[in-house]
Every structure is written in structure tokens, then in C-alpha cells.
Amino acid sequence: MTRARVVVVGVGAVVLVLAVVVGLLARGVVTAARTEEAAGAATRAATALTPVLLGYDWRTLDADVARIDTATTGPFAEQNRAIVASLVVPAAVGTRASSSATVQRVAVVTAAPRRVETLVLYAQTTARNGAPGETVARSARVVLEPDDDDRWLVAGFDAS
């Protein structure tokens, strides 16, 4: 192999390596931008949807249950439907209860372009049998994922 050929092969190899590195960096930048966008959208969704999931009034339960159902997605949607039907509705009717939540703060725990886990701090007020409601500070791990229309919905809710 001649010296010129060695130089050409060497330069070609360097160019190839640099092209791969640039491609990987570009992919990383795009993924980071998508992740940042997802974190922002999911934070806004967690702020808006937490009160939807936790809000109901025994006098308007049918509408409240339908509204709650529109806030969830994936396997969690079916789990939440079952919990609402078997626990929330009977308790709300039996004690003439109403509940509302106000989000205080949302923090992103982990984020990826199609799944964001947040920590939501909220105040929940529950009134029963006409008595004034008691407000309790709470927190929840709220997982959000976009649906087919890229609307971020609750895919998991674990209150503590």
C-alpha cells in the first residue's frame, strides 16, 4: 500500500468516525429536546388533572365519574374505573360527600419523551354529611403518558 493510499484510508476512517459521533450527538440533542418538552407538558397535565381525579360531589356523581374517566389512560384507566365504581361512588353517596383538590406544586421525578413521572403536592378537602370539609396536605406520584392524540393523561396515581 502506498503512502497516499494509507493517508486516504486514514482520513476516510476519521471522517466516518466523526460522522457517527455527530449523528449520535444530534440524536441525543433531539431526544433531550423531546424529553424537556414532554416534562413541561406532563407538568401542566399533572397540575390540571390531579383535581379532576380527586374531585367529586355526591349530587353530580355521574358527570364527575365521566370527567374522571377522561383524565386517565392505559391499564390505569380500567383500574381507576373499578376503584371509583366500587369505593368512591358508594362512599360518596352513603356519606353525601364531596371532595376537591388544589395542586400546590409539581416536580418532575423522571422524564422520557413518552412517559413522565411527577411528584404532586396538593391540598384535598373532603366534606361529609353537610359538615364543613377538612383540608389535608397530601402528595402523589403521578405518571403521565400521551394518548394517541398526544394529549397527556394520567397513567398511574399513587397517593401517600
Side-chain angles (χ1 to χ4, degrees), residues 39-63:
T43 297
R44 291 186 295 278
T47 301
L49 296 177
T50 297
V52 172
L53 282 178
L54 300 174
Y56 60 87
D57 187 304
W58 68 277
R59 294 166 290 218
T60 58
L61 268 177
D62 289 340

Side-chain angles (χ1 to χ4, degrees), residues 114-140:
R114 305 285 300 165
R115 181 178 173 87
V116 177
E117 182 179 333
T118 62
L119 176 65
V120 178
L121 305 178
Y122 61 96
Q124 185 172 17
T125 303
T126 305
R128 292 180 183 85
N129 296 317
E134 176 187 359
T135 300
V136 178
R138 298 184 185 249
S139 64

Side-chain angles (χ1 to χ4, degrees), residues 71-95:
T72 60
T73 190
F76 175 72
E78 190 59 41
Q79 295 168 355
N80 196 57
R81 258 184 235 110
I83 291 168
V84 168
S86 65
L87 299 174
V88 175
V89 170
V93 171
T95 62

Side-chain angles (χ1 to χ4, degrees), residues 4 39 45 48 65 69 99 130 135 156:
V65 168
D69 197 45
S99 177
T135 300

Side-chain angles (χ1 to χ4, degrees), residues 6 30 37 43-44 46 55 70 74 80 83 111 150 158:
V6 170
V30 169
E37 183 180 316
T43 297
R44 291 186 295 278
T70 66
N80 196 57
I83 291 168
D150 283 334
D158 184 16

